[in-house]
């Protein structure tokens, strides 16, 4: 299961739009995300972060992991829309069950 791509608020903002689907608000995942994470965990499915921003990804990964999601893909972390630097990637890899899609 993947989070928003072209319609993610982060992606839309980088294209100079003021809309998009929020996954994180106020340094917390939105309530609907926790429901989705619970379904992913129950199905032992994979979560992909898609076009979330570098500031959102650690929050989402921590929340998904806390909900029992055991397989998380950080989608194209170096892409300019995502912008996740190597140190942030290393920290995520040390602390969570993540894989990096390049």
């Amino acid at each position: 299961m993947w989070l928003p791509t072209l319609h993610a608020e982060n992606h839309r903002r980088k294209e100079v739009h003021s809309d998009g689907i929020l996954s994180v608000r106020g340094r917390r995942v939105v309530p609907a995300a926790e429901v989705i994470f619970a379904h992913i965990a129950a199905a032992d499915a994979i979560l992909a972060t898609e076009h979330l921003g570098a500031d959102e990804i650690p929050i989402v990964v921590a929340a998904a992991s806390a909900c029992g999601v055991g397989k998380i893909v950080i989608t194209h972390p170096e892409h300019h829309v995502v912008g996740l630097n190597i140190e942030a990637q290393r920290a995520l890899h040390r602390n969570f069950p993540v894989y990096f899609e390049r």
Side-chain angles (χ1 to χ4, degrees), residues 6-88:
L6 301 177
H7 294 96
E9 191 270 340
N10 174 64
H11 189 115
R12 298 289 293 162
R13 186 177 61 247
K14 298 235 169 114
E15 291 182 337
V16 194
H17 296 284
S18 60
D19 62 346
I21 299 169
L22 285 174
S23 296
V24 173
R25 180 180 292 123
R27 308 283 308 153
R28 293 191 54 141
V29 295
V30 296
E34 291 179 338
V35 173
I36 292 167
F37 298 160
H39 288 292
I40 293 169
D44 194 29
I46 301 167
L47 171 69
T49 60
E50 297 302 323
H51 292 196
L52 299 184
D55 57 333
E56 299 169 299
I57 291 171
I59 296 165
V60 165
V61 168
S65 186
C67 287
V69 176
K71 295 174 268 190
I72 301 169
V73 174
I74 309 298
T75 311
H76 38 68
E78 294 91 3
H79 188 277
H80 76 278
V81 170
V82 177
L84 195 63
N85 68 42
I86 194 68
E87 288 308 315

